[in-house]
Amino acid sequence: MFVDSDTVSEFKSEDGAVHVIERRCKLDIDAPRLLKKIAGVDYVYFVQKNSLNSRERTLHIEAHNETFSNRVIIHEYCCYTVHPENEDWTCFEQSASLDIKSFFGFESTVEKIAMKQYTSNIKKGKEIIEYYLRQLEEEGITFVPRWTPPSLGPSSETLSSSKSQTTSAAVLVPDAAALKEGLGGEGLSSPGTASEAVVGTPDDKLDADYIKRYLGDLTPLQESCLIRLRQWLQETHKGKIPKDEHILRFLRARDFNIDKAREIMCQSLTWRKQHQVDYILDTWTPPQVLQDYYAGGWHHHDKDGRPLYVLRLGQMDTKGLVRALGEEALLRYVLSINEEGLRRCEENTKVFGRPISSWTCLVDLEGLNMRHLWRPGVKALLRIIEVVEANYPETLGRLLILRAPRVFPVLWTLVSPFIDDNTRRKFLIYAGNDYQGPGGLLDYIDKEIIPDFLSGECMCDVPEGGLVPKSLYRTAEELENEDLKLWTETIYQSASVFKGAPHEILIQIVDAASVITWDFDVCKGDIVFNIYHSKRSPQPPKKDSLGAHSITSPGGNNVQLIDKVWQLGRDYSMVESPLICKEGESVQGSHVTRWPGFYILQWKFHSMPACAATNLPRVDDVLASLQVSSHKCKVMYYTEVIGSEDFRGSMTSLESSHSGFSQLSAATTSSSQSHSSSMISR
């Protein structure tokens, strides 16, 4: 129930066409007494803004809650306009949103109360309007003449203002959409010009209040650049025109150089249209794997009002996500996060009453290890960074990196060259528990919303991540069927291994102390993985005809390099202990080379050992042989050589990756064995 209100601000244009009034309203909520006592309030306060435009014949009413705004966010918006085909009809639109972050454990109760009262208020809306119309009739007002400019006829400002105040006092309908956005478009786009959106604003100049409210401090030169670029888009661009806030991001990213900003913005608009990015939040649903294992999510806002995104990268199985989804699904998910970030920036601009055009990202690296430096995963990350940098400039306000481990410099060396200089300056990196000290997290985030996993008081709904089950991994056939050339051609290769016909690849090493890295999955059968070294190069690879087997391998090739006349110990030597890998296992490892020359990675068919007591095969051996049809195994592999200078202390990094492998790699026993054998060989 409406109790009282105070006028916060009021504006009337010189010609009387525009009247904007903002009030702070005191309301009594029909809620259980216990809930009021727990919350510690008897009344709640809303800020309501009424904008009457007599020239355009529109009335916009916006409101948002001031009480508990850090726990509950309520936006309401309604609009009265003249019907385009019948001037005697009035059109009415109303929308509202409710976002309950936390409320003393009574979230569901508050939601039910809010929905109940909102539904009740909508039903009463017609009665209230009719009540005030009757009141006008009792006062003798049965007709309000259309507004005309003062020079052309008498002003009806008094009557119009009276009607505005009585109508708006009757209907309290919150959404903090601003005067500009109330007449604008959706998403990043606005079909109208700024002069249409902000009434009374000349084409060659922006309204000072509008700039302060939505764009921030702009110099006359910067304001001129914005207007010129927007006008150019209106004249040349076919389709929706981005909002001023988004145009401004591209200008700031290029230091207000119009030509450079125009170039990257046109590329981005084309990219958005081609990939339907404007509709991604409405049309695309993230796969369940992402919802369960992607350890990131939105979490309140920082002290500057920026939306806060939390990413627990150290707890995320990056390799598992890439193998289960592919790079495109991950990229699409990151794009949806950025689109949601833009939406939240607009909402926070309305809530806090000042321009908020970027968000803060908090990255927790506890648990980060060499598993996260899986090269295909890093390459996927670099591509994602490239796309985001090109299409979402100046959206990252601050990046807080917490609990950075010893292996972080390696990742930073790989990633930092792809990040814009302006963006890099926004990075704050804390090792160990340094974030708890002076200049740490409390300088940027309120104590009440620091996540619980960082020793804070606020429960964080961000998924905890964990290992993606290998049963969700995509096979080579699935990748090929979906035509994901990225994986079948440039990252993963598929090979078939037969009894008596191993698959081998050659790696030439020029500089000693280089690092050979590998990652492979045993898709079918059991294999033995070996690494050999030779001073001389084997003969050019020849594809094995498979002899008497006469079996083709459509899903992968089979190459043998070691000549049958070569002798182990004379022509080549073993540099790693043989590693037996079972079907379904995923193996990741590295080897620090001691000598230059030629290294051969070999995957060989694993034969079951014969029973010692008798020549008759065991039942288990027979069953195993039946499972491996035609004595065929299949692997998907990826290898890469890293120069010692690129590893930035490769010896120390390898040791730290072995000692701090954490829970993510503990379940992959073969990976640990591979790393430990590399330590011995070194």
Side-chain angles (χ1 to χ4, degrees):
M1 292 183 63
F2 180 83
V3 178
D4 193 11
S5 68
D6 297 319
T7 300
V8 177
S9 63
E10 188 171 6
F11 165 79
K12 291 184 180 181
S13 61
E14 293 182 359
D15 59 4
V18 180
H19 183 197
V20 180
I21 185 168
E22 189 170 357
R23 297 186 181 93
R24 185 171 183 264
C25 304
K26 181 179 180 181
L27 304 178
D28 185 9
I29 301 297
D30 182 17
R33 185 175 180 182
L34 177 61
L35 185 60
K36 286 186 176 182
K37 187 174 182 180
I38 293 175
V41 296
D42 292 324
Y43 302 100
V44 296
Y45 291 88
F46 274 74
V47 176
Q48 177 183 341
K49 181 179 179 182
N50 303 327
S51 304
L52 175 68
N53 186 332
S54 299
R55 180 187 294 108
E56 301 292 337
R57 303 179 71 190
T58 60
L59 171 64
H60 296 276
I61 305 175
E62 315 157 28
H64 64 268
N65 63 308
E66 183 181 276
T67 307
F68 300 122
S69 59
N70 62 330
R71 296 179 179 272
V72 180
I73 299 177
I74 301 173
H75 288 159
E76 284 192 273
Y77 173 74
C78 76
C79 176
Y80 294 87
T81 58
V82 176
H83 193 281
E85 297 179 3
N86 189 335
E87 294 189 352
D88 293 333
W89 294 354
T90 300
C91 298
F92 171 70
E93 296 179 50
Q94 180 168 331
S95 63
S97 64
L98 171 67
D99 186 6
I100 302 176
K101 305 294 185 181
S102 63
F103 203 84
F104 313 104
F106 289 88
E107 291 80 8
S108 60
T109 303
V110 172
E111 182 178 5
K112 290 177 181 178
I113 292 174
M115 294 303 297
K116 179 181 177 181
Q117 292 204 356
Y118 187 71
T119 303
S120 176
N121 288 341
I122 291 177
K123 293 179 180 179
K124 292 180 181 179
K126 184 179 178 181
E127 300 175 12
I128 295 174
I129 292 175
E130 290 176 346
Y131 170 82
Y132 280 99
L133 287 175
R134 285 195 298 269
Q135 188 179 63
L136 287 173
E137 290 178 356
E138 292 172 1
E139 296 174 0
I141 302 175
T142 58
F143 173 74
V144 179
R146 184 180 300 186
W147 177 89
T148 55
S151 58
L152 300 178
S155 171
S156 57
E157 178 184 340
T158 305
L159 291 177
S160 300
S161 299
S162 173
K163 180 177 179 182
S164 167
Q165 293 177 17
T166 55
T167 307
S168 59
V171 186
L172 179 65
V173 245
D175 176 30
L179 184 55
K180 171 181 180 294
E181 294 168 326
L183 301 175
E186 58 185 44
L188 291 177
S189 307
S190 174
T193 64
S195 60
E196 292 171 333
V198 184
V199 179
T201 301
D203 291 339
D204 58 346
K205 191 179 183 215
L206 296 175
D207 182 77
D209 292 337
Y210 165 66
I211 293 176
K212 182 179 179 181
R213 180 73 167 77
Y214 293 98
L215 303 180
D217 296 328
L218 294 179
T219 65
L221 178 61
Q222 293 172 344
E223 181 182 333
S224 174
C225 290
L226 172 60
I227 294 173
R228 287 162 57 196
L229 182 53
R230 185 184 62 200
Q231 289 178 341
W232 181 85
L233 286 170
Q234 291 168 347
E235 294 170 0
T236 61
H237 181 65
K238 295 181 180 179
K240 293 182 178 180
I241 304 301
K243 293 181 180 178
D244 289 344
E245 302 94 303
H246 201 58
I247 298 176
L248 197 57
R249 289 187 179 101
F250 286 92
L251 284 168
R252 283 172 172 157
R254 292 298 179 266
D255 296 324
F256 286 87
N257 183 311
I258 291 184
D259 293 334
K260 293 181 179 179
R262 180 193 297 126
E263 180 182 357
I264 62 172
M265 188 168 194
C266 288
Q267 292 173 355
S268 179
L269 291 175
T270 302
W271 170 83
R272 294 183 71 88
K273 183 177 180 181
Q274 288 176 345
H275 299 280
Q276 298 291 295
V277 179
D278 287 329
Y279 311 104
I280 192 171
L281 291 178
D282 300 323
T283 60
W284 185 73
T285 302
Q288 193 62 42
V289 177
L290 279 172
Q291 299 180 38
D292 294 340
Y293 295 99
Y294 190 91
W298 294 99
H299 181 74
H300 301 286
H301 54 77
D302 67 5
K303 287 188 174 182
D304 295 324
R306 297 189 184 103
L308 177 63
Y309 189 83
V310 175
L311 180 65
R312 303 185 68 179
L313 183 60
Q315 305 300 314
M316 194 154 57
D317 182 9
T318 51
K319 175 190 170 183
L321 289 173
V322 173
R323 291 299 313 279
L325 297 165
E327 182 181 342
E328 293 302 321
L330 276 177
L331 174 59
R332 189 170 291 273
Y333 190 57
V334 173
L335 295 182
S336 70
I337 293 172
N338 280 270
E339 290 297 307
E340 175 68 14
L342 293 175
R343 187 185 67 80
R344 287 175 179 261
C345 284
E346 290 186 7
E347 290 181 353
N348 284 19
T349 296
K350 301 166 188 175
V351 171
F352 293 100
R354 61 178 183 273
I356 295 173
S357 60
S358 60
W359 52 85
T360 293
C361 187
L362 187 155
V363 181
D364 180 24
L365 295 184
E366 185 183 49
L368 187 78
N369 52 61
M370 291 300 294
R371 182 182 179 87
H372 293 84
L373 299 185
W374 179 58
R375 302 291 284 188
V378 172
K379 286 187 176 181
L381 174 62
L382 295 181
R383 186 195 167 195
I384 290 173
I385 290 175
E386 184 180 8
V387 172
V388 171
E389 283 278 318
N391 297 285
Y392 299 92
E394 297 298 313
T395 54
L396 181 65
R398 184 179 293 117
L399 181 66
L400 304 170
I401 299 176
L402 310 184
R403 301 196 282 194
R406 293 173 58 190
V407 75
F408 174 71
V410 182
L411 179 62
W412 180 247
T413 301
L414 296 172
V415 172
S416 59
F418 295 86
I419 301 175
D420 182 77
D421 290 340
N422 291 335
T423 305
R424 282 207 299 266
R425 283 193 284 269
K426 301 171 184 176
F427 285 34
L428 296 171
I429 303 172
Y430 301 89
N433 292 322
D434 293 348
Y435 69 92
Q436 297 178 344
L441 207 54
L442 284 175
D443 285 11
Y444 306 102
I445 300 175
D446 289 328
K447 182 179 179 181
E448 294 79 19
I449 65 169
I450 293 180
D452 52 328
F453 61 85
L454 293 174
S455 304
E457 302 174 358
C458 187
M459 293 298 294
C460 186
D461 295 331
V462 174
E464 295 183 359
L467 283 172
V468 177
K470 292 187 176 65
S471 59
L472 299 177
Y473 284 12
R474 295 189 181 186
T475 64
E477 287 80 2
E478 289 174 329
L479 293 176
E480 290 168 0
N481 292 339
E482 295 185 11
D483 197 26
L484 295 180
K485 296 181 179 179
L486 176 71
W487 299 110
T488 58
E489 293 182 3
T490 62
I491 292 183
Y492 275 107
Q493 297 187 49
S494 183
S496 297
V497 179
F498 303 89
K499 189 172 184 179
H503 178 69
E504 298 163 344
I505 62 174
L506 180 67
I507 298 176
Q508 184 176 1
I509 297 296
V510 178
D511 299 323
S514 296
V515 181
I516 300 174
T517 64
W518 59 82
D519 183 276
F520 63 89
D521 288 322
V522 185
C523 304
K524 185 178 181 181
D526 299 340
I527 58 104
V528 180
F529 179 65
N530 291 302
I531 304 179
Y532 301 102
H533 172 263
S534 176
K535 294 181 180 179
R536 59 177 175 146
S537 174
Q539 294 298 318
K542 58 180 180 179
K543 294 206 173 184
D544 189 77
S545 62
L546 302 178
H549 296 286
S550 299
I551 301 174
T552 59
S553 54
N557 60 344
N558 180 271
V559 178
Q560 287 139 61
L561 300 170
I562 299 177
D563 199 294
K564 295 185 183 298
V565 299
W566 278 20
Q567 293 184 10
L568 185 63
R570 185 191 68 183
D571 301 292
Y572 65 107
S573 59
M574 183 180 291
V575 296
E576 289 277 2
S577 301
L579 184 65
I580 299 174
C581 308
K582 301 293 185 180
E583 180 176 336
E585 285 189 350
S586 177
V587 182
Q588 183 183 15
S590 58
H591 172 77
V592 182
T593 61
R594 297 180 60 184
W595 316 279
F598 301 91
Y599 286 79
I600 300 171
L601 275 59
Q602 181 193 74
W603 290 268
K604 186 171 67 173
F605 183 90
H606 177 56
S607 300
M608 290 293 178
C611 183
T614 175
N615 291 330
L616 294 175
R618 298 178 302 177
V619 174
D620 292 342
D621 297 341
V622 175
L623 293 175
S625 65
L626 291 174
Q627 293 174 357
V628 184
S629 146
S630 303
H631 303 292
K632 175 184 175 182
C633 301
K634 194 167 187 178
V635 295
M636 286 182 62
Y637 66 92
Y638 172 84
T639 64
E640 187 166 2
V641 177
I642 305 173
S644 57
E645 68 278 2
D646 295 330
F647 220 82
R648 193 169 180 175
S650 56
M651 306 305 176
T652 304
S653 298
L654 284 172
E655 288 173 352
S656 66
S657 76
H658 175 58
S659 60
F661 223 48
S662 85
Q663 68 274 19
L664 277 179
S665 57
T668 311
T669 55
S670 55
S671 181
S672 299
Q673 293 169 7
S674 178
H675 272 285
S676 61
S677 63
S678 298
M679 298 304 103
I680 297 171
S681 66
R682 194 194 72 223

